[in-house]
């Protein structure tokens, strides 16, 4: 109920907070094992988006996620969790492996957006995201999406096509950053709070809009929040794994078809 | 300098605007009749001016064969969106009035040199061709119709990206359309994407880049992030040809650059190769 008192911009700030749990923190807290695999087999190993096989509460899965850091040093290495095309292509490569060996996929979404850089454009940022959407929409294995922090536009969406979409209590998910929207529609980036309100970016908003399937409550401690995420992952993957894969893919299509 | 003087002079002549078109690149004055006859391509420098979705369809469909479908699908103001300059609903209604279209894309069935296709064209004049829920729904229905009737799907894109006034559901149109196009590919039905000026943001990052064949008009702007956003991020000036059709061809993301007047015959030739 405390969430009711917070403004949309308060939640945007919480979602972006440096001390928020990031992918590596989750892996340390909830995975019995996380074995990272590298590279897109084409150009390089993007550090903004990472992935590997993991065991969470005894459930084997492929984990993919934006690699936001908690310190400046980590963020310089991981590009603040902003993926290049190579990151999305690595994600597709690993998803193919998951499909081949019937392993479910869990994605951790936490990015300001896809990296807006010269080389990103040269290597086809648009094509990489487009292909990711088409590819994951038809993947023949379960996909669970967890929006843990900042769900920033197309860069988030590229790994947010799944059978279930969960969102942390203080995460956000938006078509454009509140600052970007304010800059265009208010002609004043400082009006971000108004834009955040108008865009409806919080978990309860997105739940009401029918875009997400559930909200994961955040605890008083990091351990408590991580435990909630773990519980949600284990229960959801168990359920999704019981659905015949052809039905799963058909339902996934229908799910986005209705949006 | 000459064009500037001409423009100055022109504004003083009543009715001059009705007779001439100023080329967006070389700034030459071209008689309207000649400009139209040349499909809004500058006869002097080859600049491809922006055209409406209806004009695009007229260039691609055999005369009298276009049968518009899904025209009743419109926008959705589910956020009751208001910004500094007013309500979204007023802006989108103004766009409807200005363009005479219900949404930023027109979809339907047509014949191209006798081949039955599903044809769509986006209209940049309609809120910057932005991808709203209505736009995504029409494109998805068009793709599903192409699947059901096994017709090639030809779509001309022109868009600045997602329509932020429709919030997160605008973003979801990227998934919906891409998933529908994926189904066409699985079924062996051609999807041809025509990239026109401009094709950027969420549209370039979904159906625009997913063509079995991606065709661009010469010199058009195609990209994901905006030039200024990138320059501010990397603190570097970008080359002049950055994000042009030619740049994308060089980097391997479009199959071919085809002038407007040859677009239809090129697509028909490809469809012939695909067995249609
Ligand atoms: Zn010209």
């Amino acid at each position: 109920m405390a969430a009711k008192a917070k403004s949309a911009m308060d939640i945007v700030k919480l979602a972006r907070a440096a001390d928020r749990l990031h992918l590596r923190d989750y892996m340390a807290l909830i995975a019995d094992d996380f074995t990272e695999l590298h590279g897109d087999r084409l150009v390089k190993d993007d550090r903004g988006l990472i992935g590997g096989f993991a065991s969470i509460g005894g459930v084997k899965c492929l984990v993919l996620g934006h690699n936001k850091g908690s310190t400046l040093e980590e963020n310089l290495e991981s590009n603040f969790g902003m993926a290049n095309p190579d990151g999305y292509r690595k994600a597709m490569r690993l998803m193919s492996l998951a499909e081949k060996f019937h392993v479910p996929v869990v994605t951790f979404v936490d990015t300001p957006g896809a990296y807006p850089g010269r080389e990103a454009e040269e290597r086809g940022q648009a094509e990489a995201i487009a292909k990711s959407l088409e590819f994951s929409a038809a993947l023949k294995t379960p996909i669970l999406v967890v929006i843990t922090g900042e769900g920033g536009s197309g860069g988030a969406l590229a790994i947010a096509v799944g059978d279930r979409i969960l969102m942390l209590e203080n995460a956000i998910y938006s078509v454009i950053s509140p600052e970007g929207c304010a800059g265009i529609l208010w002609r004043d980036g400082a009006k971000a709070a108004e834009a955040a309100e108008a865009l409806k970016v919080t978990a309860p908003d997105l739940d009401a809009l029918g875009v997400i399937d559930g909200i994961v409550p955040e605890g008083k401690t990091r351990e408590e929040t991580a435990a909630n995420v773990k519980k949600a992952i284990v229960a959801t993957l168990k359920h999704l794994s019981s659905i015949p894969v052809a039905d799963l893919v058909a339902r996934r299509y229908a799910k986005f078809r209705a949006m | 300098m000459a064009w500037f003087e001409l423009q100055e002079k022109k504004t003083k002549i009543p009715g001059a605007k009705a007779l001439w078109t100023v080329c967006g690149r070389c700034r030459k004055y071209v008689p309207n009749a000649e400009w139209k006859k040349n499909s809004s391509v500058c006869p002097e420098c080859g600049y491809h001016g922006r055209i409406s979705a209806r004009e695009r369809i007229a260039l691609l469909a055999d005369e009298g064969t276009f049968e518009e479908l899904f025209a009743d699908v419109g926008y959705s103001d589910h956020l009751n969106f208001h910004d500094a300059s007013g309500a979204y609903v007023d802006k989108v209604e103004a766009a409807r009035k200005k363009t005479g279209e219900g949404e930023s894309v027109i979809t339907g069935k047509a014949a191209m040199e006798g081949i039955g296709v599903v044809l769509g064209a986006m209209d940049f004049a309609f809120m910057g061709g932005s991808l709203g829920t209505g736009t995504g729904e029409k494109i998805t229905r068009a793709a599903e119709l192409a699947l059901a009737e096994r017709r090639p799907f030809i779509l001309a894109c022109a868009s600045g990206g997602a329509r932020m006034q429709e919030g997160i559901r605008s973003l979801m149109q990227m998934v919906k359309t891409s998933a529908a196009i994926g189904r066409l590919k699985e079924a062996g039905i051609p999807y041809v994407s025509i990239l026109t000026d401009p094709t950027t943001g969420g549209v370039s990052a979904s159906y625009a880049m997913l063509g079995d064949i991606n065709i661009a008009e010469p010199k058009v702007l195609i990209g994901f992030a905006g030039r200024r956003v990138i320059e501010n991020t990397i603190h570097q000036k970008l080359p002049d040809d950055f994000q042009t059709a030619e740049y994308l061809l060089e980097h391997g993301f479009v199959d071919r650059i085809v002038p407007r007047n040859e677009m239809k015959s090129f697509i028909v030739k490809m469809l012939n190769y695909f067995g249609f």
Side-chain angles (χ1 to χ4, degrees):
Chain A
M1 302 304 101
K4 281 236 163 96
K6 288 180 212 141
S7 72
M9 203 58 200
D10 291 335
I11 294 174
V12 170
K13 284 174 186 154
L14 284 173
R16 292 172 177 167
D19 62 357
R20 194 171 177 79
L21 287 165
H22 298 127
L23 178 56
R24 290 195 178 282
D25 305 316
Y26 280 112
M27 289 301 99
L29 288 165
I30 70 173
D32 317 315
D33 177 58
F34 174 57
T35 303
E36 190 184 346
L37 299 173
H38 297 269
D40 63 352
R41 296 285 198 276
L42 295 163
V43 176
K44 67 192 291 190
D45 182 43
D46 187 60
R47 301 308 299 150
L49 198 162
I50 62 172
F53 286 91
S55 170
I56 298 174
V59 181
K60 291 191 184 90
C61 56
L62 172 75
V63 167
L64 294 168
H66 301 100
N67 185 25
K68 246 195 202 180
S70 303
T71 63
L72 182 62
E73 204 171 38
E74 284 174 10
N75 272 320
L76 288 176
E77 195 240 326
S78 69
N79 213 11
F80 296 84
M82 292 184 285
N84 277 287
D86 333 299
Y88 298 117
R89 293 187 182 121
K90 171 169 68 179
M92 284 187 268
R93 180 177 82 80
L94 295 177
M95 280 195 266
S96 304
L97 277 184
E99 181 180 63
K100 180 172 179 182
F101 299 110
H102 313 290
V103 178
V105 180
V106 184
T107 70
F108 288 70
V109 176
D110 189 12
T111 182
Y115 184 61
R118 177 178 171 168
E119 290 177 354
E121 296 286 320
E122 279 175 4
R123 294 201 296 272
Q125 187 71 283
E127 194 272 349
I129 294 171
K131 196 79 209 165
S132 299
L133 303 177
E134 184 190 285
F135 182 83
S136 45
L139 194 78
K140 294 183 186 75
T141 198
I143 306 174
L144 165 61
V145 176
V146 188
I147 300 162
T148 58
E150 222 181 337
S153 194
L157 186 67
I159 59 162
V161 178
D163 305 299
R164 291 287 183 281
I165 303 168
L166 304 179
M167 203 164 157
L168 274 280
E169 186 185 331
N170 294 314
I172 58 161
Y173 194 13
S174 183
V175 63
I176 184 171
S177 73
E179 291 80 1
C181 180
I184 298 167
L185 294 183
W186 275 260
R187 303 200 176 282
D188 179 1
K191 297 277 199 263
E194 284 167 57
E197 209 69 58
L199 285 167
K200 304 266 186 281
V201 299
T202 69
D205 288 336
L206 296 193
D207 197 27
L209 287 168
V211 168
I212 61 168
D213 300 294
I215 301 174
V216 181
E218 294 182 25
K220 286 192 174 61
T221 64
R222 292 161 74 82
E223 288 73 16
E224 209 180 308
T225 299
N228 292 344
V229 169
K230 179 178 179 174
K231 210 165 90 184
I233 289 173
V234 171
T236 309
L237 287 187
K238 276 197 175 138
H239 171 66
L240 291 177
S241 296
S242 72
I243 303 169
V245 79
D247 292 353
L248 197 71
V249 175
R251 287 186 212 175
R252 192 185 305 147
Y253 185 86
K255 174 184 178 66
F256 286 93
R257 183 69 189 81
M259 288 184 189
Chain B
M1 291 296 113
W3 68 263
F4 182 70
E5 286 159 28
L6 258 173
Q7 196 178 43
E8 286 289 288
K9 215 159 89 193
K10 187 203 118 195
T11 53
K12 285 172 195 155
I13 307 168
K17 208 179 164 187
L19 299 172
W20 301 83
T21 300
V22 191
C23 171
R25 185 179 313 123
C26 73
R27 298 286 169 186
K28 289 257 165 53
Y29 273 66
V30 180
N32 273 347
E34 197 184 336
W35 185 265
K36 284 282 162 228
K37 206 180 109 221
N38 207 30
S39 313
S40 303
V41 175
C42 176
E44 294 289 331
C45 74
Y47 170 75
H48 281 53
R50 286 175 186 163
I51 57 173
S52 72
R54 296 275 160 198
E55 289 170 306
R56 177 75 57 187
I57 280 166
L59 287 171
L60 295 172
D62 295 347
E63 206 177 332
T65 63
F66 183 69
E67 179 198 337
E68 187 171 358
L69 294 165
F70 321 127
D72 56 321
V73 177
Y75 67 93
S76 148
D77 185 26
H78 49 275
L79 300 183
N80 185 24
F81 195 95
H82 288 70
D83 62 35
S85 60
Y88 165 55
V89 63
D90 292 336
K91 288 184 199 172
V92 71
E93 285 298 341
R96 285 185 144 186
K97 226 172 136 188
K98 182 180 88 172
T99 59
E101 304 298 349
E103 248 305 348
S104 60
V105 70
I106 300 171
T107 48
K109 288 194 215 185
M112 289 175 75
E113 307 283 355
I115 303 168
V117 301
V118 174
L119 184 58
M122 298 189 75
D123 203 316
F124 190 74
F126 193 106
M127 297 197 80
S130 53
L131 172 58
T133 53
T135 320
E137 180 65 22
K138 287 174 90 168
I139 291 170
T140 305
R141 286 195 198 181
E144 289 175 344
L145 175 69
L147 180 67
E149 299 194 355
R150 299 198 67 84
R151 285 167 175 252
F153 181 28
I154 318 296
L155 180 59
C157 303
S159 174
R163 189 177 300 162
M164 55 193 138
Q165 294 93 337
E166 293 194 20
I168 196 75
R169 283 185 57 203
S170 159
L171 195 71
M172 294 304 133
Q173 304 311 307
M174 293 167 63
V175 183
K176 189 163 109 179
T177 52
S178 300
I181 283 158
R183 288 192 157 189
L184 284 183
K185 291 188 187 168
E186 280 172 27
I189 296 162
Y191 166 56
V192 176
S193 174
I194 307 170
L195 303 142
T196 77
D197 199 51
T199 301
T200 62
V203 167
S204 72
S206 59
Y207 53 87
M209 272 293 158
L210 293 174
D212 293 314
I213 304 275
N214 292 334
I215 315 167
E217 287 193 326
K219 307 270 164 75
V220 300
L221 172 71
I222 307 164
F224 177 63
R227 172 184 276 264
R228 233 172 312 157
V229 173
I230 299 170
E231 285 182 338
N232 289 340
T233 306
I234 64 173
H235 307 293
Q236 244 180 17
K237 254 275 335 109
L238 293 161
D240 286 342
D241 72 338
F242 187 66
Q243 297 181 327
T244 58
E246 291 70 19
Y247 179 92
L248 268 90
L249 183 83
E250 184 192 334
H251 290 284
F253 293 99
V254 299
D255 288 274
R256 214 158 159 112
I257 295 170
V258 179
R260 187 169 291 163
N261 296 342
E262 297 166 23
M263 190 63 79
K264 180 177 179 178
S265 59
F266 175 75
I267 293 170
V268 168
K269 181 163 120 179
M270 293 316 298
L271 294 181
N272 287 333
Y273 274 118
F274 297 160
F276 286 84

